[in-house]
Amino acid sequence: MTAEATPDSEELRELIADVLEVDGESITPEIDFVRDLGVDSLLAMELAVTLERQYRVKIESHEIGDVRTMSDISALLLRKLRTSAA
């Protein structure tokens, strides 16, 4: 994926589902990863590393700590991709 591209929601959903080891259909834009799926800090960091590799961006630990939904991840990636394109 290039820095100019935006993350495809279906691709992102499947990537998140793979890391969290859940069915992709359970990943909705509003599902809370911590409350609804029990994501802890270690799993959140694993997700961050996977996103960094896939989208070629750098995600700081405090940024992934603020992410609780797929919508949050999408917004974070868009910010990162825009910054890296500038």
Side-chain angles (χ1 to χ4, degrees):
M1 169 166 267
T2 63
E4 298 82 34
T6 57
D8 173 70
S9 62
E10 190 56 38
E11 175 186 324
L12 183 57
R13 177 188 327 278
E14 290 304 316
L15 185 70
I16 294 168
D18 286 347
V19 172
L20 302 184
E21 297 181 354
V22 298
D23 178 38
E25 295 299 315
S26 68
I27 305 295
T28 63
E30 297 80 25
I31 194 167
D32 186 300
F33 298 145
V34 175
R35 185 188 66 231
D36 301 327
L37 300 177
V39 172
D40 61 13
S41 59
L42 185 60
L43 197 50
M45 287 308 297
E46 184 178 336
L47 180 59
V49 169
T50 301
L51 293 169
E52 287 178 336
R53 287 183 186 148
Q54 179 69 25
Y55 296 102
R56 296 185 177 110
V57 296
K58 177 67 178 148
I59 300 173
E60 302 296 332
S61 58
H62 68 89
E63 292 173 312
I64 201 67
D66 294 336
V67 168
R68 295 189 62 105
T69 66
M70 185 175 145
S71 295
D72 292 343
I73 288 177
S74 184
L76 174 63
L77 285 174
L78 285 173
R79 282 193 313 273
K80 292 292 183 174
L81 290 168
R82 285 184 186 131
T83 301
S84 67

